[in-house]
Amino acid sequence: MEKKVKHLVLFDVGGVLLRLDYIAFYRSAAKIKGTTPDQFKKEYLEKKLEEEAIVGQITITQLLDRSRNLIGTNLSDAQLKEMYSLCWPNQIDEVVRLKRK
């Protein structure tokens, strides 16, 4: 009697299902802050905000608050989320089709 083998395939989101484009986020934030995208990127990465959010060390609310402080603005949560969405401009259609199969 043959056993049926079930396979589980997990898909990562960033860079697999969604294209990544952090430079658009850095440009947008830098423009508001009045600095260069490279300088903002350096400051942002030093703060490790996204890393802490991904591993659950901080909440999304804390991520947005800390981002707001870093940018030095009173952007709403919705505006900050829209700015963050620039990091993931579109899905990778070929992988999404494969996932759906």
Side-chain angles (χ1 to χ4, degrees):
M1 176 179 199
E2 282 187 43
K3 288 186 176 181
K4 282 190 174 184
V5 177
K6 292 185 180 183
H7 296 279
L8 173 64
V9 179
L10 300 176
F11 286 87
D12 183 14
V13 175
V16 177
L17 292 174
L18 297 174
R19 279 188 217 295
L20 300 178
D21 183 12
Y22 280 84
I23 192 64
F25 168 70
Y26 299 143
R27 282 185 190 132
S28 180
K31 183 176 179 181
I32 294 167
K33 184 171 180 153
T35 189
T36 66
D38 285 339
Q39 182 59 38
F40 180 81
K41 175 183 177 180
K42 181 178 183 267
E43 292 175 35
Y44 181 77
L45 294 177
E46 285 173 355
K47 298 286 185 189
K48 299 184 180 192
L49 302 178
E50 189 172 347
E51 287 177 39
E52 290 180 1
I54 288 171
V55 299
Q57 290 177 330
I58 63 173
T59 65
I60 296 301
T61 299
Q62 290 170 316
L63 171 68
L64 296 175
D65 287 343
R66 291 183 185 181
S67 298
R68 191 177 290 111
N69 290 337
L70 178 62
I71 297 168
T73 185
N74 286 325
L75 291 173
S76 69
D77 285 357
Q79 290 170 311
L80 281 169
K81 287 177 183 178
E82 185 173 328
M83 187 181 295
Y84 266 105
S85 74
L86 296 172
C87 297
W88 312 287
N90 54 23
Q91 69 183 22
I92 301 172
D93 293 332
E94 302 81 20
V95 180
V96 172
R97 279 194 296 276
L98 175 64
K99 178 186 160 282
R100 287 188 174 142
K101 281 185 178 182

